[in-house]
Amino acid sequence: MENKLVFRPLIEGDYEDICKWWKWWRWPVLPKESLPDNGMGGFMVEKNGTPIVSVFLYLTSNSNWAWLEWLVSNPNYREKDRKEAIELLISKTEEETKKLGFKFMLTIGRNKSLIESHRKLGWHVDDKGSHEIIKNL
């Protein structure tokens, strides 16, 4: 069995795992219809068939911006390469987004380790805190 990190698109069954991770991390569980492609519009990194970390990718239709969101990791994955998996997920998602013709990506985060991973990968991180402002319609 190969012992390397694998980047792949989301597949059937991933949404259920992601929901469990959101619950464990005490995040709200998002309905499929609020996610890109009904919960299939994103990516996963796994190792030896074990899902490690996932993200969703919102693609705008009226600009050249894409939004990377809801990055979450498997709380039961305890290997030392978790940070490497996260950085692989972000960088490979960037590559896929660029292939689609998008020029800019945006994300929101408050986790210091995740912010540092983005900074390491060349993302601009605003030094001033901001707030997510959401309204259910």
Side-chain angles (χ1 to χ4, degrees):
M1 185 174 280
E2 211 167 318
N3 197 23
K4 72 176 199 172
L5 298 172
V6 175
F7 173 82
R8 63 166 174 79
L10 292 177
I11 58 174
E12 286 295 330
D14 285 338
Y15 175 76
E16 289 73 19
D17 287 336
I18 293 166
C19 288
K20 290 175 192 170
W21 301 351
W22 282 333
K23 287 177 187 175
W24 194 93
W25 290 108
R26 297 186 183 102
W27 287 11
V29 173
L30 299 168
K32 278 184 169 186
E33 63 267 14
S34 71
L35 298 167
D37 297 328
N38 203 34
M40 298 287 288
F43 301 97
M44 177 79 72
V45 169
E46 63 181 31
K47 183 176 179 181
N48 299 328
T50 300
I52 302 170
V53 61
S54 70
V55 72
F56 289 95
L57 182 64
Y58 292 82
L59 303 172
T60 62
S61 62
N62 62 351
S63 74
N64 56 6
W65 281 83
W67 180 26
L68 184 77
E69 195 51 87
W70 313 119
L71 193 151
V72 65
S73 64
N74 179 346
N76 298 314
Y77 186 80
R78 306 270 187 226
E79 301 295 320
K80 293 180 181 180
D81 56 4
R82 176 190 292 269
K83 187 173 178 99
E84 182 184 347
I86 290 169
E87 291 175 4
L88 178 69
L89 179 69
I90 295 167
S91 63
K92 289 292 195 181
T93 302
E94 288 175 24
E95 289 175 21
E96 293 299 315
T97 305
K98 191 174 182 178
K99 284 181 199 173
L100 293 171
F102 290 86
K103 305 285 186 206
F104 305 99
M105 291 182 79
L106 168 75
T107 192
I108 298 170
R110 66 176 65 103
N111 178 283
K112 288 180 182 177
S113 178
L114 190 54
I115 289 169
E116 286 309 310
S117 289
H118 279 87
R119 191 174 270 133
K120 177 182 172 185
L121 294 170
W123 288 61
H124 169 78
V125 179
D126 191 353
D127 292 331
K128 295 179 185 174
S130 50
H131 298 273
E132 294 124 14
I133 303 171
I134 301 169
K135 183 175 184 177
N136 290 337
L137 301 177

